[in-house]
Amino acid sequence: MFENFKKITAFFCAAVLLLGIWAVNVSAAASATIAFSNQKPSVGQKVTVSVTVNGGEAMYNATFDLSYNPDVLKYESSNITVNAGAGIVKASPAPGGKDKETYTFTFSGIAAGSATISVSGTAYGVDNDLPFGASAALTVTDAAKSDNANLKSLSLSVGKLEPSFAASRTKYNVSVANNVTECKVFAAAADAGAKVEILGKNALAVGKNTRSVVVTAPSGKQKEYSITITRAEEGEDESSSEPEKALNEAVIDGVTYTVLTDISDIALPTGFSADTTEYNGTQVAVARDKSGNYTVYFLKSADSESCILYTIPEKGNKFEKLKYAAFGDKTYIFADIPDGYTAPDGYYETEVKIGEFDVTAYAAIDSEYTDFYYVYCFYNGKFDTYRYDSAENVLQRCPEFKLVKADEKQPEKTGFLSRFSSLSANAKTVVIGMAAAFIAAVVLIVLLIVKLFGKNGIPDEDDEDVMFSGDFDNAVVSDAGVKDEEPEKEPEDAGNEEK
């Protein structure tokens, strides 16, 4: 039985040791993520690669290699000191005790193709080596010729454009007095590679005169601007010739905007297509998603080259600014959560600024990750929940964050199992290892008790007296319990033997 006891003891000791080593090794692991400023840059464009290392504990030094495809990308710079060449960037930063740090690397596209960015290295904590690694791919595309056929400016030698110039507005009216016999047109293209052609005569006849400006983009795309110049009749006041009123105008908060009638040169959100609709008795351009959830209008003010996205609610006739944000080539629309739904227990409603908008979001009540927010978005025809990392400005789909019905009582989440399920994978491993070690210790103690006291279990009072007396050294343990050992007989005196 003693041999079996030794085998069992050795087995449990080895198991506890292995569990302890495994738990320590798993807990001492870091992670890395890679993000791109543009996942599809074109040849000649620059792209920033952000590598975030999360040690899970304080990091004081780190070494890692970042590999890339030198046939597609050219290394330019970094926010840390590195050695770069032959498709590898070697870095040895000092995080200075931070548990998470981000390093940026700038590349430029030199040829079309796919490029995989891989990072592999080790961060060093106080007592642990923290290995990490990650990889991600981007695609460099051929530099496309510009489709920009807009004008940057448009003016006349005499008279004032009505309405005022905007790159998206293509029709204008001008009224001049009878004594004005000539009017020159000046125009400049927004794209330096575009060509501008001004048609029509400078000399003005009495009545209406039409001048045209044709802009040809580098890609060959053309756009025409038309100006109707009305010269007053002799003796007629120029003010009596009123310009045509623009029907595609809207006044919002005291600012006059033009509702665009042409959005062919504007990149639409994923899942949207160009369409037209009627506004104020005239046809204007809009973008609609396939499911008909959104109809987006594009508005520009006279003093801005960029357009602003608006919608008109179903139960209303006023424009409301569309809340959205672009991450790379993806555009996400921030939506209200469906009526009758709310966030699960453990989260509270708040606001977070994403881009230029304050967005309704949810955050965990008890969490070490205070930079994480959960928002409800529309992207590519689908509504879903997303997690926004405000520290790194990253938005990622998070289907595990489930909205719940507000009228349904959520189950109580208390006790050990709830707390255990909320732990990280590393913490769960440590807890399991500690539990296994505790169970092994209990088993060993039980085995020792059985071995010491035999089949009869707990010793009786006589045994206890023996154990805690000076005679314990002369006691032996048997299956029947504790008993006194008979003293050895002393050999007879040699003198008696002679007798």
Side-chain angles (χ1 to χ4, degrees):
M1 181 177 177
F2 185 68
E3 290 299 323
N4 291 335
F5 171 74
K6 289 196 296 182
K7 291 179 181 180
I8 294 173
T9 303
F11 170 77
F12 276 103
C13 288
V16 171
L17 180 61
L18 289 175
L19 282 171
I21 294 174
W22 179 58
V24 170
N25 286 339
V26 172
S27 63
S31 63
T33 57
I34 298 175
F36 304 115
S37 60
N38 184 357
Q39 202 159 11
K40 292 184 178 180
S42 59
V43 174
Q45 282 187 329
K46 291 185 177 181
V47 57
T48 299
V49 179
S50 299
V51 177
T52 300
V53 179
N54 189 343
E57 62 178 80
M59 302 180 295
Y60 294 92
N61 288 290
T63 58
F64 63 87
D65 292 346
L66 184 146
S67 60
Y68 61 96
N69 186 349
D71 296 329
V72 176
L73 296 174
K74 176 186 176 183
Y75 171 77
E76 297 288 351
S77 62
S78 175
N79 66 340
I80 56 175
T81 302
V82 300
N83 291 320
I88 297 178
V89 179
K90 293 183 174 292
S92 299
K98 296 180 180 178
D99 59 359
K100 183 169 67 173
E101 187 68 297
T102 298
Y103 309 101
T104 59
F105 305 85
T106 302
F107 296 86
S108 57
I110 58 176
S114 178
T116 298
I117 305 293
S118 299
V119 62
S120 177
T122 303
Y124 302 98
V126 177
D127 299 315
N128 295 320
D129 292 349
L130 311 168
F132 60 87
S135 64
L138 58 80
T139 302
V140 178
T141 60
D142 286 321
K145 291 184 178 180
S146 172
D147 284 334
N148 189 351
N150 288 331
L151 282 178
K152 180 173 65 176
S153 63
L154 179 64
S155 59
L156 305 173
S157 59
V158 179
K160 180 181 178 182
L161 294 175
E162 292 290 346
S164 57
F165 171 73
S168 60
R169 185 180 291 129
T170 57
K171 296 184 181 298
Y172 300 89
N173 295 281
V174 178
S175 297
V176 296
N178 176 261
N179 61 355
V180 177
T181 59
E182 184 181 83
C183 182
K184 295 180 180 181
V185 177
F186 306 98
D191 192 313
K195 296 180 181 180
V196 177
E197 184 179 8
I198 300 175
L199 306 177
K201 297 179 180 180
N202 291 335
L204 298 178
V206 174
K208 292 186 177 181
N209 301 263
T210 301
R211 304 295 303 274
S212 297
V213 180
V214 178
V215 184
T216 303
S219 65
K221 178 184 177 181
Q222 289 188 330
K223 188 173 186 178
E224 181 177 351
Y225 294 81
S226 177
I227 307 171
T228 300
I229 305 173
T230 302
R231 179 184 172 191
E233 297 284 348
E234 186 175 356
E236 181 184 9
D237 188 353
E238 64 178 272
S239 61
S240 63
S241 178
E242 296 182 358
E244 297 178 10
K245 183 178 180 180
L247 298 176
N248 60 324
E249 286 188 347
V251 178
I252 304 174
D253 295 331
V255 179
T256 300
Y257 293 89
T258 299
V259 184
L260 302 191
T261 58
D262 179 15
I263 57 174
S264 58
D265 57 347
I266 296 176
L268 303 182
T270 304
F272 281 75
S273 58
D275 200 357
T276 60
T277 191
E278 184 174 311
Y279 170 74
N280 199 23
T282 188
Q283 291 292 311
V284 296
V286 294
R288 286 193 174 99
D289 67 281
K290 297 177 182 178
S291 302
N293 295 287
Y294 290 93
T295 299
V296 181
Y297 297 77
F298 297 79
L299 279 64
K300 278 188 178 181
S301 63
D303 57 353
S304 175
E305 288 295 323
S306 60
C307 61
I308 304 174
L309 276 56
Y310 280 85
T311 61
I312 298 179
E314 292 184 5
K315 299 179 181 180
N317 56 3
K318 293 183 178 181
F319 283 109
E320 290 185 2
K321 188 176 289 187
L322 184 70
K323 290 186 177 183
Y324 70 97
F327 292 85
D329 59 349
K330 298 179 179 180
T331 300
Y332 301 87
I333 297 174
F334 301 113
D336 295 329
I337 65 172
D339 291 338
Y341 282 82
T342 186
D345 284 344
Y347 294 84
Y348 66 96
E349 184 176 323
T350 183
E351 282 191 347
V352 59
K353 191 172 185 64
I354 305 178
E356 61 176 295
F357 299 103
D358 291 324
V359 180
T360 300
Y362 295 95
I365 296 174
D366 296 320
S367 175
E368 60 179 310
Y369 302 107
T370 57
D371 299 323
F372 286 171
Y373 298 87
Y374 298 87
V375 295
Y376 195 60
C377 296
F378 180 81
Y379 170 72
N380 197 17
K382 295 181 180 179
F383 290 93
D384 211 336
T385 51
Y386 287 76
R387 187 177 72 180
Y388 176 64
D389 185 344
S390 61
E392 299 182 13
N393 192 33
V394 175
L395 187 69
Q396 186 175 20
R397 193 167 68 92
C398 187
E400 60 268 24
F401 183 88
K402 301 290 186 182
L403 296 173
V404 297
K405 290 186 177 180
D407 56 354
E408 288 185 357
K409 184 178 180 181
Q410 301 180 48
E412 294 289 337
K413 295 183 178 180
T414 59
F416 172 76
L417 290 180
S418 175
R419 295 184 179 181
F420 180 78
S421 62
S422 66
L423 296 175
S424 64
N426 289 343
K428 289 179 180 178
T429 302
V430 173
V431 171
I432 292 173
M434 294 175 63
F438 175 77
I439 293 172
V442 171
V443 171
L444 286 174
I445 292 173
V446 171
L447 289 174
L448 286 173
I449 292 175
V450 172
K451 182 62 180 176
L452 286 174
F453 302 113
K455 297 179 180 179
N456 293 331
I458 300 174
D460 55 26
E461 295 180 358
D462 294 338
D463 292 336
E464 291 181 355
D465 293 339
V466 173
M467 290 177 61
F468 296 100
S469 67
D471 296 333
F472 182 71
D473 292 336
N474 295 326
V476 296
V477 179
S478 68
D479 292 340
V482 180
K483 64 180 181 178
D484 292 336
E485 186 180 32
E486 293 182 3
E488 296 181 2
K489 293 183 179 181
E490 295 182 1
E492 294 183 358
D493 192 300
N496 293 334
E497 290 181 358
E498 291 179 358
K499 294 180 180 180

